[in-house]
């Protein structure tokens, strides 16, 4: 199914990958991400202002979904009123599993996104703005502008990755902290513990469980020989529960310092938006712990995402 999509950064190799990553990384510099902090605080507070203090409410549709959707829409320069459409397209795309023969809905969502962004890119060529979309249109790699296919691939990747990682990190975190009320109270009492707790939440229930890769050389691992050209599934979620790397790995511990967790990958394909996802999670969890100190999750009524690599919820009743 991936062969039917336009070129994307996560599916490319050097030297083109190196060129494209260098280009798009300009949108995620430490200074640019730090500059979003006040803006994210405002979005989080607005979303919590609109949610009931006692409940019930849907954590995904009213909080964890809209937050990253608004942030990435603002970064790209697209109107906020379109974010619900983006969220629908993004969720449809990741839940379409070709293993189950579900090509149609995912391809329709991708086509809708490409059509939307094609028109938007044309508008930015004619009317440049101070946003990421204009920067991509005007960018050059080795003296050449990005192709239309590369631009659309960027837009799709930024939108889906910008939504799903943070949305599911926050939703999974809400469930974990509901199941560990003592840890939740400790975090509420001492917000300085939140950054390290975010790393443990990423390790304990990784929002992206894995990605497929094609080997470029033979690899021998645990007595298993894998040849160049073989497709392998790298399971980040499994690596993050490896007792060799994390003692008592199945135990959730907010005092753990899981520096080696790989929820955002590793190496040249390390997630470009990791710093943004971490910032959004820290701000959102601190606000949630301050303004909604205690909560319960109706896990029996929750709806899981039906996606291979993505672990999270389509709906999460909370009060």
């Amino acid at each position: 199914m991936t062969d039917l999509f336009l070129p994307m950064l996560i599916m490319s190799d050097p030297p083109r990958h190196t060129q494209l990553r260098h280009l798009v990384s300009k949108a995620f510099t430490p200074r640019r991400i730090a500059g979003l902090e006040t803006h994210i605080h405002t979005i989080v507070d607005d979303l919590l202002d609109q949610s009931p203090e006692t409940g019930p409410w849907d954590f995904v549709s009213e909080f964890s979904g809209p937050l990253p959707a608004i942030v990435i829409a603002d970064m790209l320069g697209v109107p906020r009123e379109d974010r619900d459409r983006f969220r629908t397209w993004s969720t449809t795309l990741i839940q379409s599993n070709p293993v189950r023969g579900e090509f149609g809905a995912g391809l329709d969502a991708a086509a809708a996104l490409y059509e939307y962004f094609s028109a938007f890119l044309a508008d930015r060529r004619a009317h440049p703005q101070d946003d990421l979309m204009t920067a991509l249109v005007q960018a050059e790699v080795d003296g050449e502008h990005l192709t239309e296919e590369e631009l659309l691939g960027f837009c799709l990747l930024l939108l889906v990755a910008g939504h799903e990682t943070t949305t599911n990190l926050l939703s999974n975190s809400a469930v974990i902290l509901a199941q560990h009320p003592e840890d939740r109270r400790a975090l509420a009492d001492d917000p300085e513990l939140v950054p390290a707790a975010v790393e443990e939440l990423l390790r304990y229930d990784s929002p992206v469980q894995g990605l497929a890769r094609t080997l470029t050389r033979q690899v021998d691992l645990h007595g298993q020989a894998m040849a160049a050209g073989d497709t392998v599934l790298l399971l980040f979620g499994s690596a993050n529960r490896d007792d060799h790397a994390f003692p008592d790995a199945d135990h959730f511990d907010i005092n753990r310092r899981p520096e080696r967790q790989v929820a955002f990958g590793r190496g040249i394909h390390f997630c470009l938006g990791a710093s943004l996802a971490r910032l959004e999670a820290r701000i959102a969890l601190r606000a949630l712990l301050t303004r909604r100190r205690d909560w319960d999750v109706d896990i029996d009524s929750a709806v899981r995402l039906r996606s291979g690599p993505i672990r999270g919820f389509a709906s999460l009743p909370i009060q």
Side-chain angles (χ1 to χ4, degrees):
M1 184 175 179
T2 55
D3 293 339
L4 300 175
F5 289 94
L6 295 176
M8 282 193 280
L9 186 67
I10 59 172
M11 297 299 178
S12 65
D13 290 320
R16 191 58 173 171
H17 172 271
T18 306
Q19 296 168 327
L20 297 177
R21 185 179 176 93
H22 175 72
L23 174 66
V24 78
S25 65
K26 296 175 182 177
F28 295 95
T29 61
R31 174 179 289 186
R32 184 182 287 268
I33 297 304
L36 293 171
E37 186 166 353
T38 300
H39 183 49
I40 295 171
H41 273 290
T42 300
I43 297 170
V44 167
D45 287 337
D46 287 347
L47 290 172
L48 288 177
D49 286 343
Q50 297 168 34
S51 68
E53 292 193 14
T54 54
W57 53 297
D58 189 327
F59 189 79
V60 175
S61 65
E62 298 182 52
F63 188 70
S64 66
L67 170 59
I70 293 171
V71 172
I72 199 67
D74 289 349
M75 287 183 68
L76 288 169
V78 301
R80 283 194 184 184
E81 56 265 26
D82 290 337
R83 68 176 187 265
D84 289 339
R85 285 200 287 169
F86 288 157
R87 178 68 187 157
T88 299
W89 289 331
S90 176
T91 302
T92 300
L93 193 58
I94 67 165
Q95 291 204 90
S96 298
N97 191 333
V99 175
R100 296 191 296 260
E102 299 169 352
F103 290 91
L107 291 176
D108 287 345
L113 281 164
Y114 290 146
E115 182 179 4
Y116 179 94
F117 280 122
S118 182
F120 204 87
L121 288 165
D123 178 77
R124 285 301 185 262
R125 290 188 183 95
H127 308 97
Q129 304 290 328
D130 182 18
D131 55 36
L132 178 55
M133 196 76 83
T134 300
L136 288 173
V137 167
Q138 296 177 343
E140 294 184 3
V141 177
D142 292 342
E144 296 182 1
H145 289 287
L146 298 178
T147 67
E148 184 75 4
E149 290 77 15
E150 287 171 334
L151 284 168
L152 291 173
F154 264 134
C155 292
L156 183 70
L157 178 61
L158 288 168
L159 178 68
V160 175
H163 275 157
E164 298 304 331
T165 301
T166 303
T167 293
N168 295 309
L169 167 57
L170 290 174
S171 301
N172 295 344
S173 297
V175 173
I176 295 167
L177 293 177
Q179 295 169 340
H180 297 81
E182 292 184 4
D183 291 322
R184 181 178 60 195
R185 285 191 288 271
L187 292 172
D189 291 339
D190 186 0
E192 294 303 313
L193 296 174
V194 169
V198 167
E199 299 305 304
E200 175 66 352
L201 289 161
L202 283 162
R203 181 201 70 82
Y204 187 74
D205 199 356
S206 306
V208 179
Q209 289 285 295
L211 285 175
R213 287 287 180 256
T214 301
L215 295 179
T216 58
R217 60 179 175 83
Q218 179 173 321
V219 175
D220 297 304
L221 187 64
H222 303 304
Q224 178 69 45
M226 294 170 283
D230 282 354
T231 300
V232 297
L233 183 62
L234 302 181
L235 293 173
F236 310 144
S238 179
N240 281 335
R241 291 292 190 97
D242 185 351
D243 282 317
H244 293 92
F246 308 102
D248 197 13
D250 287 335
H251 174 66
F252 176 70
D253 181 2
I254 60 171
N255 296 308
R256 193 193 300 267
R257 297 294 184 269
E259 289 87 359
R260 297 175 62 197
Q261 63 89 4
V262 291
F264 291 116
R266 184 66 61 84
I268 65 170
H269 286 289
F270 180 77
C271 178
L272 273 171
S275 58
L276 177 59
R278 285 179 164 123
L279 179 62
E280 289 175 318
R282 291 196 297 266
I283 293 172
L285 288 177
R286 280 174 172 154
L288 193 64
L289 290 160
T290 299
R291 298 181 56 178
R292 306 285 191 273
R293 185 182 177 94
D294 296 309
W295 65 81
D296 291 314
V297 170
D298 184 358
I299 200 67
D300 292 334
S301 298
V303 179
R304 278 278 183 190
L305 288 172
R306 296 176 65 250
S307 171
I310 307 297
R311 179 170 169 82
F313 294 88
S315 175
L316 184 64
I318 189 172
Q319 72 178 47

